[in-house]
Amino acid sequence: MSTPADRPTRTEPSDGEGSVSVIGTAHVSQASVEEVETAIADEQPDIVAVELDDGRYRQLKGHEPDDLNASDLLQGNTVFQFLAYWMLSYVQTRLGEQFDIDPGADMLAAVETAEEHGIDVALVDRDIQETIQRFWARMTITEKLRMVGGLAFGVTDSRVVGVMVGLMVGLVAGPALALFGGAVGITEAVYLRAAASGLLGLAAALLIDQLAGLALGGDRRLIASLGGGWAVASVVAASGVADAAVGSLLGGFAVTIIGSLTLGLVGGLALGLVAAVVIGLLGPTGPAPEGGIDEMEIEELTDADVVTVMMEEFRQFSPGGAEALIDERDAYIAHQLVGLRDAGYDVLAVVGAGHRAGIEGYLDDPASLPPMNTLVGEETGRGIPWGKIIGIVLSVAFVSFFVLLAMAGVQNAFLLRVFGAWFLINAVFAAGFAKLAGARWSSAGVGGAVAWMTSINPALAPGWFAGYVELRHLTVNVGDIGTLNDLLSDETKPIGEIIGEMFDVPLFKLIMVVALTNVGSIVASALFVSYILPLLGTELGGVDGISQLMLDGARNSAELIWRTIT
């Protein structure tokens, strides 16, 4: 609990054992506001307990939004946790707009009514940042993709997830095809056909986009450009009409790079469609079914049974997320209320209707409460930490590559060229992607300069460095989330204009700078391993020659170690 200076001093507990009564409200219901005001005036409890933490209390009271701490914002998965927080805030804001009431009006009414009657207010909810961290850690990768996709596109449609999965798979599959395509029958002619169709399809899409901008806007312009580009690419791929021209303009290496990336992306998107079908079969991801929130009367939302149904729908979407967002908070709030009751206070608790049943169950049987130390602190996740494992493997592989080649007697000049290429491609892509996100040159330059190192260190990311420099010119606070919600709720502007204005919001700009800098470094690393390294390694006999030299280096290292210890 917290006691800011502008809140009344807590009253003394009444004689004898305390009591707790719970009101379940809808956070966007005028009827709930009136119910809360009446209950406080009639019952005159010692304390009014509200489902708020100190940060949300200050925000409801109209205090200036807190500036976000740079170190907290840029560490680990915090950027993604803010995306989750933004998503939840956006959903509540849209509900508030639909029913013409400010979200949280019930809690604000409880606080203000208590203060009018000289009654103390207790903040009994867990800190929102702690809740969001644990919420994000409990979600599966599929659930995270659906949530972030829903934030970006306004729906959690399975097609959105399919596109995202397809793009990620394609970026990995393209380089893999360049390395091992020959083993599965992919010839230079196939790469040439794919490169020609990809280049001409992209050119057609860009040209149509510019022409369509004269007559079309918003989604129709996007559909026209994508559809036209895909049609041109399909014709070129089927006829081979551009093969000779593209082959004469591009060298074999460029054809391999562009062709393999095109094949990878096409294959990835095809896999994404399959993923969309599977996700669609596993759970509802489209519009709300008949009888859902859009068709409910606002008064119905105050009924605990209806809100419980909504909570259970969320539990089906993400069981782990629901545990952190609902079940753990039920227990946390119940711990606070039991403590107040045991201290002899008569408490009126104002909580969301979806929490009422869980809290009252714990109040009836306090022995069933989980220990408080299991409800607080950072959640590390329950699955295998694949990200950390992959990062460690990459670090070991990078260092081993140079050490083994050196032990095999490869000249230092070659190793320096390889390192220089690694540094350059990481710098160009990390800085370039940062500039796409609107970063300043200084921020992009710093992110590019450290990208070579952070690519092989799982504990670091170039986006953090770019973000720290960018923050010297930005003031980021939680009020930015409200600004973003207003932009996303504006149905009068085309999507392109909305996205452009979102980049003017400091929080969104910072998130995009951090994320795209990291993406640029990842893409650069994949391209280096798949394209640049084989090209540089031709003087050593290509991939086979380098592999043999690394084996020789391992053998020489083993012999050196053996001689040293014996």
Side-chain angles (χ1 to χ4, degrees), residues 128-218:
I128 184 61
Q129 297 305 326
E130 191 171 1
T131 293
I132 292 299
Q133 190 279 325
R134 295 172 71 91
F135 168 71
W136 184 259
R138 296 283 180 82
M139 295 177 72
T140 67
I141 185 63
T142 300
E143 292 164 358
K144 291 173 181 177
L145 285 172
R146 286 166 61 187
M147 170 162 281
V148 175
L151 181 63
F153 295 90
V155 292
T156 51
D157 196 298
S158 59
R159 292 170 296 179
V160 172
V161 183
V163 170
M164 296 173 69
V165 171
L167 290 175
M168 289 189 294
V169 170
L171 289 174
V172 175
L177 286 174
L179 281 176
F180 308 109
V184 294
I186 300 180
T187 64
E188 290 299 322
V190 174
Y191 288 133
L192 178 60
R193 183 68 58 87
S197 61
L199 288 174
L200 291 181
L202 178 61
L206 293 175
L207 178 61
I208 294 172
D209 178 71
Q210 294 301 310
L211 295 176
L214 301 175
L216 302 176

Coordinates of all heavy atoms in Angstrom, one line a residue, residues 128-218:
I128 N 1.9 -2.2 -11.9 CA 1.5 -2.6 -13.3 C 2.7 -3.1 -14.1 O 2.5 -4.0 -14.9 CB 0.8 -1.4 -14.0 CG1 0.3 -1.8 -15.4 CG2 1.8 -0.2 -14.0 CD1 -0.7 -2.9 -15.4
Q129 N 3.9 -2.5 -13.9 CA 5.0 -3.0 -14.6 C 5.4 -4.4 -14.3 O 5.8 -5.2 -15.1 CB 6.2 -2.0 -14.4 CG 5.9 -0.6 -14.9 CD 5.5 -0.6 -16.4 OE1 5.9 -1.4 -17.2 NE2 4.6 0.4 -16.7
E130 N 5.3 -4.7 -13.0 CA 5.6 -6.1 -12.5 C 4.6 -7.1 -13.1 O 4.9 -8.2 -13.6 CB 5.5 -6.2 -11.0 CG 6.1 -7.5 -10.5 CD 6.2 -7.4 -8.9 OE1 5.9 -6.3 -8.4 OE2 6.7 -8.4 -8.4
T131 N 3.3 -6.7 -13.2 CA 2.3 -7.5 -13.7 C 2.5 -7.7 -15.2 O 2.4 -8.9 -15.7 CB 0.9 -6.9 -13.5 OG1 0.6 -6.9 -12.1 CG2 -0.2 -7.6 -14.3
I132 N 2.8 -6.7 -16.0 CA 3.1 -6.8 -17.4 C 4.3 -7.7 -17.7 O 4.3 -8.5 -18.6 CB 3.2 -5.4 -18.0 CG1 1.9 -4.7 -18.0 CG2 3.7 -5.5 -19.5 CD1 0.7 -5.4 -18.7
Q133 N 5.3 -7.5 -16.9 CA 6.5 -8.4 -17.1 C 6.2 -9.8 -16.9 O 6.6 -10.7 -17.7 CB 7.6 -8.0 -16.1 CG 9.0 -8.6 -16.4 CD 9.1 -10.0 -15.9 OE1 8.6 -10.4 -14.8 NE2 9.9 -10.9 -16.6
R134 N 5.5 -10.1 -15.9 CA 5.1 -11.5 -15.6 C 4.1 -12.0 -16.7 O 4.1 -13.2 -17.1 CB 4.5 -11.7 -14.2 CG 5.5 -11.4 -13.1 CD 4.9 -11.3 -11.8 NE 4.5 -12.6 -11.3 CZ 5.2 -13.5 -10.6 NH1 6.4 -13.1 -10.2 NH2 4.8 -14.6 -10.2
F135 N 3.2 -11.1 -17.1 CA 2.2 -11.5 -18.2 C 3.0 -11.8 -19.5 O 2.7 -12.8 -20.1 CB 1.3 -10.2 -18.3 CG 0.4 -10.3 -19.6 CD1 -0.6 -11.1 -19.7 CD2 0.7 -9.4 -20.6 CE1 -1.4 -11.2 -20.8 CE2 -0.1 -9.4 -21.7 CZ -1.2 -10.3 -21.8
W136 N 3.9 -11.0 -19.9 CA 4.7 -11.2 -21.1 C 5.5 -12.5 -21.0 O 5.5 -13.3 -22.0 CB 5.6 -10.0 -21.4 CG 6.3 -10.2 -22.7 CD1 7.6 -10.5 -22.9 CD2 5.7 -9.9 -24.0 NE1 7.9 -10.5 -24.3 CE2 6.8 -10.1 -25.0 CE3 4.5 -9.5 -24.5 CZ2 6.6 -10.0 -26.3 CZ3 4.3 -9.3 -25.8 CH2 5.3 -9.6 -26.7
A137 N 6.1 -12.8 -19.9 CA 7.0 -14.0 -19.7 C 6.1 -15.2 -19.8 O 6.7 -16.3 -20.2 CB 7.7 -13.9 -18.4
R138 N 4.9 -15.2 -19.4 CA 4.1 -16.4 -19.4 C 3.5 -16.7 -20.7 O 2.9 -17.8 -20.9 CB 2.9 -16.2 -18.3 CG 3.4 -16.0 -16.9 CD 3.8 -17.3 -16.3 NE 4.2 -17.2 -14.9 CZ 3.4 -17.1 -13.9 NH1 2.1 -17.1 -14.0 NH2 3.8 -16.9 -12.6
M139 N 3.5 -15.8 -21.6 CA 2.8 -16.0 -22.9 C 3.7 -16.8 -23.9 O 4.9 -16.7 -23.8 CB 2.5 -14.7 -23.6 CG 1.4 -13.9 -22.9 SD 1.1 -12.3 -23.7 CE 0.2 -12.9 -25.1
T140 N 3.1 -17.7 -24.7 CA 3.9 -18.4 -25.7 C 4.2 -17.5 -26.9 O 3.7 -16.4 -27.0 CB 3.1 -19.6 -26.2 OG1 1.9 -19.1 -26.9 CG2 2.6 -20.5 -25.0
I141 N 5.1 -18.0 -27.7 CA 5.5 -17.1 -28.8 C 4.4 -16.9 -29.8 O 4.2 -15.8 -30.3 CB 6.7 -17.8 -29.6 CG1 7.2 -16.9 -30.7 CG2 6.3 -19.2 -30.1 CD1 7.8 -15.6 -30.2
T142 N 3.5 -17.9 -30.0 CA 2.3 -17.7 -30.8 C 1.4 -16.6 -30.3 O 0.9 -15.8 -31.0 CB 1.6 -19.0 -31.0 OG1 2.4 -20.0 -31.6 CG2 0.3 -18.8 -31.9
E143 N 1.2 -16.7 -28.9 CA 0.3 -15.7 -28.3 C 0.9 -14.3 -28.4 O 0.2 -13.3 -28.6 CB 0.1 -16.1 -26.8 CG -0.7 -17.4 -26.7 CD -0.6 -18.0 -25.3 OE1 0.1 -17.4 -24.4 OE2 -1.2 -19.0 -25.0
K144 N 2.2 -14.2 -28.3 CA 2.8 -12.9 -28.4 C 2.7 -12.3 -29.8 O 2.4 -11.2 -30.0 CB 4.3 -13.0 -28.0 CG 4.6 -13.3 -26.6 CD 6.0 -13.5 -26.3 CE 6.2 -13.8 -24.8 NZ 7.6 -14.1 -24.5
L145 N 2.9 -13.2 -30.8 CA 2.7 -12.8 -32.2 C 1.3 -12.3 -32.5 O 1.0 -11.3 -33.1 CB 3.0 -13.9 -33.2 CG 4.5 -14.2 -33.3 CD1 4.7 -15.5 -34.2 CD2 5.3 -13.1 -34.0
R146 N 0.3 -13.0 -31.9 CA -1.1 -12.6 -32.1 C -1.4 -11.3 -31.4 O -2.1 -10.4 -31.9 CB -2.0 -13.7 -31.6 CG -2.1 -14.9 -32.5 CD -2.7 -16.1 -31.8 NE -4.1 -15.8 -31.4 CZ -4.9 -16.7 -30.7 NH1 -4.3 -17.8 -30.3 NH2 -6.1 -16.3 -30.4
M147 N -0.8 -11.1 -30.3 CA -1.1 -9.8 -29.5 C -0.4 -8.7 -30.2 O -1.1 -7.6 -30.4 CB -0.5 -10.0 -28.1 CG -0.6 -8.6 -27.4 SD -0.5 -8.8 -25.6 CE -2.2 -9.2 -25.2
V148 N 0.9 -8.8 -30.6 CA 1.5 -7.7 -31.3 C 0.9 -7.4 -32.6 O 0.7 -6.3 -33.1 CB 3.0 -8.0 -31.4 CG1 3.7 -6.9 -32.2 CG2 3.7 -8.1 -30.0
G149 N 0.5 -8.5 -33.3 CA -0.1 -8.3 -34.6 C -1.5 -7.6 -34.4 O -1.9 -6.8 -35.2
G150 N -2.2 -8.0 -33.4 CA -3.4 -7.3 -33.1 C -3.3 -5.8 -32.8 O -4.1 -5.0 -33.2
L151 N -2.2 -5.5 -32.1 CA -1.9 -4.1 -31.9 C -1.6 -3.3 -33.2 O -2.1 -2.2 -33.4 CB -0.7 -3.9 -30.9 CG -0.3 -2.5 -30.5 CD1 -1.5 -1.8 -29.8 CD2 0.9 -2.5 -29.7
A152 N -0.8 -4.0 -34.0 CA -0.4 -3.3 -35.2 C -1.5 -3.2 -36.3 O -1.6 -2.2 -37.0 CB 0.8 -4.0 -35.9
F153 N -2.4 -4.2 -36.3 CA -3.4 -4.2 -37.4 C -4.9 -4.0 -36.8 O -5.8 -4.0 -37.6 CB -3.4 -5.5 -38.1 CG -2.1 -5.6 -38.9 CD1 -1.0 -6.2 -38.3 CD2 -2.0 -5.1 -40.2 CE1 0.2 -6.4 -39.0 CE2 -0.8 -5.3 -40.9 CZ 0.3 -5.9 -40.3
G154 N -5.0 -3.9 -35.5 CA -6.3 -3.6 -35.0 C -7.2 -4.9 -34.8 O -8.2 -4.9 -34.2
V155 N -6.6 -6.1 -35.2 CA -7.3 -7.3 -35.0 C -6.3 -8.4 -34.7 O -5.1 -8.2 -35.0 CB -8.1 -7.8 -36.3 CG1 -9.3 -6.9 -36.5 CG2 -7.2 -7.8 -37.5
T156 N -6.7 -9.5 -34.1 CA -5.8 -10.6 -33.8 C -6.2 -11.7 -34.9 O -6.3 -12.9 -34.5 CB -6.0 -11.1 -32.4 OG1 -7.4 -11.4 -32.1 CG2 -5.4 -10.1 -31.4
D157 N -6.3 -11.3 -36.1 CA -6.7 -12.2 -37.2 C -5.5 -13.2 -37.4 O -4.3 -12.8 -37.4 CB -6.9 -11.4 -38.4 CG -7.7 -12.2 -39.5 OD1 -7.1 -13.2 -39.9 OD2 -8.8 -11.9 -39.9
S158 N -5.8 -14.4 -37.7 CA -4.7 -15.4 -37.9 C -3.9 -15.1 -39.1 O -2.8 -15.5 -39.2 CB -5.4 -16.8 -38.0 OG -6.3 -16.9 -39.1
R159 N -4.5 -14.4 -40.1 CA -3.7 -14.0 -41.3 C -2.6 -13.1 -40.9 O -1.5 -13.1 -41.6 CB -4.7 -13.3 -42.3 CG -5.7 -14.3 -42.9 CD -6.7 -13.5 -43.7 NE -7.5 -12.6 -42.8 CZ -8.5 -11.8 -43.3 NH1 -8.8 -11.8 -44.5 NH2 -9.2 -11.1 -42.4
V160 N -2.8 -12.2 -39.9 CA -1.7 -11.3 -39.5 C -0.6 -12.1 -39.0 O 0.6 -11.9 -39.3 CB -2.2 -10.4 -38.4 CG1 -1.1 -9.6 -37.8 CG2 -3.3 -9.4 -39.0
V161 N -0.9 -13.1 -38.1 CA 0.2 -14.0 -37.6 C 0.9 -14.7 -38.7 O 2.1 -14.9 -38.7 CB -0.4 -15.0 -36.6 CG1 0.7 -15.8 -35.9 CG2 -1.1 -14.2 -35.5
G162 N 0.1 -15.2 -39.7 CA 0.7 -15.9 -40.8 C 1.7 -15.1 -41.6 O 2.8 -15.5 -41.9
V163 N 1.4 -13.8 -41.8 CA 2.3 -12.9 -42.6 C 3.6 -12.7 -41.7 O 4.7 -12.8 -42.3 CB 1.6 -11.6 -42.9 CG1 2.6 -10.6 -43.4 CG2 0.5 -11.8 -43.9
M164 N 3.4 -12.5 -40.4 CA 4.6 -12.3 -39.6 C 5.5 -13.5 -39.6 O 6.7 -13.4 -39.7 CB 4.1 -11.9 -38.2 CG 3.4 -10.6 -38.1 SD 2.7 -10.2 -36.5 CE 4.2 -9.9 -35.6
V165 N 4.9 -14.7 -39.4 CA 5.6 -15.9 -39.4 C 6.3 -16.1 -40.7 O 7.5 -16.5 -40.8 CB 4.7 -17.1 -39.0 CG1 5.5 -18.4 -39.3 CG2 4.2 -17.0 -37.6
G166 N 5.6 -15.8 -41.8 CA 6.2 -16.0 -43.1 C 7.4 -15.2 -43.4 O 8.4 -15.6 -44.0
L167 N 7.3 -13.9 -43.0 CA 8.5 -13.0 -43.2 C 9.7 -13.5 -42.4 O 10.8 -13.5 -42.9 CB 8.1 -11.6 -42.8 CG 7.1 -10.9 -43.7 CD1 6.7 -9.5 -43.2 CD2 7.6 -10.7 -45.1
M168 N 9.5 -13.9 -41.2 CA 10.6 -14.3 -40.4 C 11.2 -15.6 -40.9 O 12.4 -15.7 -41.0 CB 10.1 -14.6 -38.9 CG 9.8 -13.3 -38.2 SD 9.6 -13.5 -36.4 CE 8.0 -14.4 -36.4
V169 N 10.3 -16.6 -41.3 CA 10.9 -17.8 -41.9 C 11.6 -17.5 -43.2 O 12.6 -18.1 -43.5 CB 9.7 -18.8 -42.1 CG1 10.2 -20.0 -42.9 CG2 9.2 -19.3 -40.8
G170 N 11.0 -16.6 -44.0 CA 11.6 -16.3 -45.3 C 13.0 -15.7 -45.1 O 13.9 -16.0 -45.9
L171 N 13.2 -14.8 -44.2 CA 14.6 -14.2 -44.0 C 15.6 -15.2 -43.6 O 16.8 -15.1 -43.8 CB 14.5 -13.1 -42.9 CG 13.7 -11.8 -43.3 CD1 13.6 -10.9 -42.1 CD2 14.5 -11.1 -44.5
V172 N 15.1 -16.3 -42.9 CA 16.1 -17.4 -42.5 C 16.2 -18.4 -43.7 O 17.3 -18.9 -44.0 CB 15.6 -18.1 -41.3 CG1 16.4 -19.3 -41.0 CG2 15.5 -17.2 -40.1
A173 N 15.1 -18.7 -44.4 CA 15.2 -19.7 -45.4 C 16.0 -19.2 -46.6 O 16.7 -20.0 -47.3 CB 13.8 -20.1 -45.9
G174 N 15.9 -17.9 -47.0 CA 16.7 -17.4 -48.1 C 18.2 -17.7 -48.1 O 18.7 -18.4 -49.0
P175 N 18.9 -17.3 -47.0 CA 20.3 -17.6 -46.9 C 20.5 -19.1 -46.8 O 21.5 -19.6 -47.4 CB 20.7 -17.0 -45.5 CG 19.7 -15.8 -45.4 CD 18.4 -16.3 -46.0
A176 N 19.7 -19.9 -46.2 CA 19.8 -21.3 -46.2 C 19.8 -21.9 -47.6 O 20.6 -22.8 -47.9 CB 18.8 -22.0 -45.3
L177 N 18.9 -21.4 -48.4 CA 18.8 -21.9 -49.8 C 20.1 -21.6 -50.5 O 20.5 -22.4 -51.4 CB 17.6 -21.3 -50.5 CG 16.2 -21.9 -50.1 CD1 15.1 -21.1 -50.7 CD2 16.1 -23.3 -50.4
A178 N 20.6 -20.4 -50.3 CA 21.9 -20.0 -51.0 C 23.0 -21.0 -50.7 O 23.8 -21.3 -51.5 CB 22.3 -18.6 -50.7
L179 N 23.0 -21.5 -49.4 CA 24.1 -22.4 -49.0 C 23.9 -23.8 -49.4 O 24.8 -24.5 -49.9 CB 24.2 -22.3 -47.5 CG 25.0 -21.1 -46.9 CD1 24.9 -21.2 -45.4 CD2 26.4 -21.1 -47.4
F180 N 22.6 -24.3 -49.3 CA 22.4 -25.7 -49.5 C 21.4 -26.0 -50.6 O 20.9 -27.1 -50.7 CB 21.9 -26.3 -48.1 CG 22.7 -26.0 -47.0 CD1 22.3 -25.1 -46.0 CD2 24.0 -26.6 -46.8 CE1 23.1 -24.8 -44.9 CE2 24.8 -26.3 -45.8 CZ 24.3 -25.4 -44.8
G181 N 21.0 -25.0 -51.4 CA 20.0 -25.2 -52.4 C 20.4 -26.2 -53.4 O 19.6 -27.0 -54.0
G182 N 21.7 -26.3 -53.8 CA 22.2 -27.2 -54.7 C 21.9 -28.7 -54.3 O 21.7 -29.5 -55.2
A183 N 21.9 -28.9 -53.0 CA 21.7 -30.3 -52.5 C 20.3 -30.7 -52.8 O 20.0 -31.9 -52.8 CB 22.0 -30.4 -51.0
V184 N 19.3 -29.8 -52.9 CA 17.9 -30.2 -53.2 C 17.5 -29.8 -54.6 O 16.3 -29.8 -54.9 CB 17.0 -29.4 -52.1 CG1 17.3 -29.9 -50.7 CG2 17.2 -27.9 -52.2
G185 N 18.5 -29.6 -55.5 CA 18.1 -29.5 -56.9 C 17.8 -28.1 -57.4 O 17.3 -27.9 -58.5
I186 N 18.2 -27.1 -56.6 CA 17.9 -25.7 -57.0 C 19.2 -25.2 -57.8 O 20.3 -25.1 -57.3 CB 17.7 -24.7 -55.8 CG1 16.5 -25.2 -55.0 CG2 17.5 -23.3 -56.3 CD1 16.2 -24.3 -53.8
T187 N 18.9 -24.9 -59.1 CA 20.0 -24.6 -60.0 C 20.2 -23.1 -60.1 O 19.3 -22.3 -59.7 CB 19.8 -25.2 -61.4 OG1 18.6 -24.6 -61.9 CG2 19.6 -26.7 -61.3
E188 N 21.2 -22.6 -60.8 CA 21.4 -21.2 -61.1 C 20.2 -20.7 -62.0 O 19.8 -19.5 -61.8 CB 22.7 -21.0 -61.8 CG 23.9 -21.2 -61.0 CD 24.0 -20.3 -59.8 OE1 23.6 -19.1 -59.9 OE2 24.4 -20.7 -58.7
A189 N 19.7 -21.5 -62.8 CA 18.5 -21.1 -63.6 C 17.3 -20.7 -62.8 O 16.6 -19.8 -63.0 CB 18.2 -22.1 -64.7
V190 N 17.1 -21.5 -61.7 CA 16.0 -21.3 -60.8 C 16.2 -20.0 -60.1 O 15.3 -19.1 -59.9 CB 15.9 -22.4 -59.8 CG1 14.8 -22.1 -58.8 CG2 15.5 -23.7 -60.6
Y191 N 17.5 -19.8 -59.6 CA 17.8 -18.5 -58.9 C 17.6 -17.3 -59.8 O 17.1 -16.3 -59.4 CB 19.3 -18.5 -58.4 CG 19.5 -19.4 -57.2 CD1 20.6 -20.3 -57.2 CD2 18.7 -19.4 -56.1 CE1 20.9 -21.1 -56.1 CE2 18.9 -20.2 -55.0 CZ 20.0 -21.0 -55.0 OH 20.3 -21.9 -54.0
L192 N 18.0 -17.5 -61.1 CA 17.8 -16.4 -62.1 C 16.3 -16.0 -62.3 O 15.9 -14.9 -62.3 CB 18.5 -16.8 -63.4 CG 18.3 -15.7 -64.5 CD1 19.0 -14.4 -64.1 CD2 19.0 -16.3 -65.8
R193 N 15.5 -17.1 -62.5 CA 14.1 -16.9 -62.7 C 13.5 -16.2 -61.4 O 12.6 -15.3 -61.6 CB 13.4 -18.2 -62.9 CG 11.9 -18.1 -63.3 CD 11.6 -17.4 -64.6 NE 12.3 -18.1 -65.7 CZ 11.7 -19.1 -66.4 NH1 10.5 -19.6 -66.1 NH2 12.4 -19.7 -67.4
A194 N 13.9 -16.6 -60.2 CA 13.3 -16.0 -59.0 C 13.8 -14.6 -58.9 O 13.0 -13.7 -58.5 CB 13.8 -16.9 -57.8
A195 N 15.0 -14.3 -59.2 CA 15.6 -13.0 -59.1 C 14.8 -12.0 -60.0 O 14.5 -10.9 -59.7 CB 17.1 -12.9 -59.3
A196 N 14.6 -12.5 -61.2 CA 14.0 -11.6 -62.2 C 12.5 -11.3 -61.8 O 12.1 -10.2 -61.9 CB 14.0 -12.3 -63.6
S197 N 11.8 -12.3 -61.4 CA 10.4 -12.1 -61.0 C 10.3 -11.2 -59.7 O 9.5 -10.4 -59.6 CB 9.7 -13.4 -60.7 OG 10.3 -14.2 -59.7
G198 N 11.3 -11.5 -58.8 CA 11.3 -10.7 -57.6 C 11.6 -9.2 -57.8 O 10.9 -8.3 -57.3
L199 N 12.6 -8.9 -58.7 CA 13.0 -7.5 -58.9 C 11.9 -6.8 -59.7 O 11.5 -5.7 -59.4 CB 14.3 -7.5 -59.7 CG 15.5 -7.9 -58.9 CD1 16.7 -7.9 -59.8 CD2 15.8 -6.8 -57.8
L200 N 11.3 -7.4 -60.8 CA 10.3 -6.8 -61.6 C 9.0 -6.7 -60.8 O 8.3 -5.7 -61.0 CB 10.1 -7.5 -62.9 CG 11.3 -7.5 -63.9 CD1 11.0 -8.2 -65.1 CD2 11.6 -6.0 -64.2
G201 N 8.7 -7.6 -60.0 CA 7.5 -7.5 -59.2 C 7.6 -6.4 -58.2 O 6.6 -5.6 -58.0
L202 N 8.8 -6.2 -57.6 CA 9.0 -5.1 -56.6 C 8.9 -3.8 -57.3 O 8.3 -2.8 -56.8 CB 10.3 -5.3 -55.9 CG 10.7 -4.2 -55.0 CD1 9.7 -4.1 -53.8 CD2 12.2 -4.4 -54.4
A203 N 9.5 -3.7 -58.5 CA 9.5 -2.5 -59.3 C 8.1 -2.1 -59.7 O 7.6 -0.9 -59.6 CB 10.4 -2.6 -60.5
A204 N 7.3 -3.1 -60.1 CA 5.9 -2.9 -60.5 C 5.1 -2.4 -59.3 O 4.3 -1.5 -59.4 CB 5.3 -4.1 -61.1
A205 N 5.3 -3.0 -58.1 CA 4.6 -2.6 -56.9 C 4.9 -1.2 -56.5 O 3.9 -0.4 -56.2 CB 4.9 -3.5 -55.7
L206 N 6.1 -0.7 -56.6 CA 6.5 0.6 -56.3 C 5.9 1.6 -57.3 O 5.4 2.7 -56.9 CB 8.0 0.8 -56.3 CG 8.7 0.0 -55.1 CD1 10.3 0.1 -55.3 CD2 8.3 0.5 -53.8
L207 N 5.9 1.3 -58.6 CA 5.4 2.1 -59.6 C 3.9 2.3 -59.4 O 3.3 3.4 -59.5 CB 5.7 1.6 -61.0 CG 5.1 2.4 -62.2 CD1 5.7 3.8 -62.2 CD2 5.5 1.7 -63.5
I208 N 3.2 1.2 -59.2 CA 1.7 1.2 -59.0 C 1.4 2.0 -57.8 O 0.4 2.7 -57.8 CB 1.2 -0.2 -59.0 CG1 1.3 -0.9 -60.3 CG2 -0.3 -0.2 -58.6 CD1 1.0 -2.4 -60.3
D209 N 2.2 1.9 -56.8 CA 1.9 2.6 -55.5 C 1.9 4.1 -55.8 O 1.1 4.8 -55.3 CB 2.9 2.2 -54.5 CG 2.7 3.0 -53.2 OD1 1.8 2.7 -52.5 OD2 3.6 3.9 -52.9
Q210 N 2.9 4.6 -56.6 CA 3.0 6.0 -56.9 C 1.8 6.4 -57.8 O 1.2 7.5 -57.5 CB 4.3 6.3 -57.6 CG 5.5 6.1 -56.7 CD 5.5 6.9 -55.4 OE1 5.3 8.1 -55.5 NE2 5.7 6.3 -54.3
L211 N 1.5 5.6 -58.8 CA 0.4 6.0 -59.6 C -1.0 5.9 -58.9 O -1.8 6.8 -59.1 CB 0.3 5.1 -60.8 CG 1.5 5.2 -61.8 CD1 1.4 4.1 -62.9 CD2 1.6 6.6 -62.4
A212 N -1.1 4.9 -58.1 CA -2.4 4.8 -57.3 C -2.6 5.9 -56.3 O -3.7 6.2 -56.0 CB -2.4 3.4 -56.6
G213 N -1.5 6.5 -55.9 CA -1.6 7.6 -54.9 C -2.3 8.8 -55.5 O -2.8 9.6 -54.8
L214 N -2.4 8.9 -56.8 CA -3.1 10.0 -57.5 C -4.6 9.8 -57.4 O -5.3 10.9 -57.4 CB -2.6 10.1 -58.9 CG -1.1 10.3 -59.2 CD1 -0.9 10.3 -60.7 CD2 -0.6 11.6 -58.6
A215 N -5.1 8.6 -57.2 CA -6.5 8.4 -57.3 C -7.0 7.6 -56.1 O -8.2 7.7 -55.7 CB -6.9 7.7 -58.6
L216 N -6.2 6.9 -55.4 CA -6.6 6.0 -54.3 C -5.9 6.4 -53.1 O -4.9 7.1 -53.1 CB -6.3 4.5 -54.6 CG -6.9 3.9 -55.9 CD1 -6.4 2.5 -56.1 CD2 -8.5 4.0 -55.8
G217 N -6.4 5.9 -51.9 CA -5.8 6.2 -50.7 C -6.0 5.1 -49.7 O -6.8 4.2 -49.9
G218 N -5.2 5.1 -48.6 CA -5.4 4.1 -47.6 C -5.2 2.7 -48.1 O -4.2 2.4 -48.8

